[in-house]
Amino acid sequence: MSIDESTAARVAKLARIRVEPEALPALAGEFNTILGFIEQLSEVDVEGVEPMTSVTPQRLKRRVDEVQDGNQQEKVLSNAPDAREGFFAVPKVVE
């Protein structure tokens, strides 16, 4: 696939990026370079390769999922700039 200057201008417009007309050939060239690299990646045989998130095998630490009451209302409200009757107090925004 090849990107010409009119397609590069259209992509820039859709992305809401202002590109001067004299910069369009360079932008089209960059798009073509990126697409060429993607085409190279599609040639790699990945049959039987498991997806991975890191190059080093690691397992995330897990905690037991227990339902707790929390019971930290006062600690949470101590961070509030204004708390009344056990709730966050906020300015009225609707008349």
Side-chain angles (χ1 to χ4, degrees):
M1 178 177 201
S2 181
I3 301 287
D4 59 355
E5 290 181 33
S6 63
T7 306
R10 184 167 184 261
V11 170
K13 181 180 178 185
L14 290 172
R16 299 192 188 284
I17 299 171
R18 183 183 351 194
V19 178
E20 300 299 327
E22 59 272 4
L24 284 175
L27 182 63
E30 288 179 25
F31 283 151
N32 286 321
T33 302
I34 293 168
L35 291 174
F37 180 69
I38 293 171
E39 287 177 8
Q40 281 182 340
L41 289 177
S42 68
E43 295 173 3
V44 176
D45 180 24
V46 293
E47 188 68 33
V49 177
E50 292 290 324
M52 57 189 220
T53 57
S54 174
V55 294
T56 58
Q58 54 184 323
R59 184 155 174 89
L60 296 177
K61 296 179 183 176
R62 299 182 187 264
R63 63 173 172 79
V64 178
D65 192 12
E66 299 174 344
V67 177
Q68 297 180 354
D69 180 25
N71 201 19
Q72 298 182 12
Q73 181 180 14
E74 289 187 21
K75 284 174 68 176
V76 171
L77 290 176
S78 68
N79 293 319
D82 188 11
R84 299 181 195 152
E85 301 174 17
F87 297 98
F88 289 102
V90 295
K92 185 176 180 179
V93 293
V94 178
E95 295 293 326

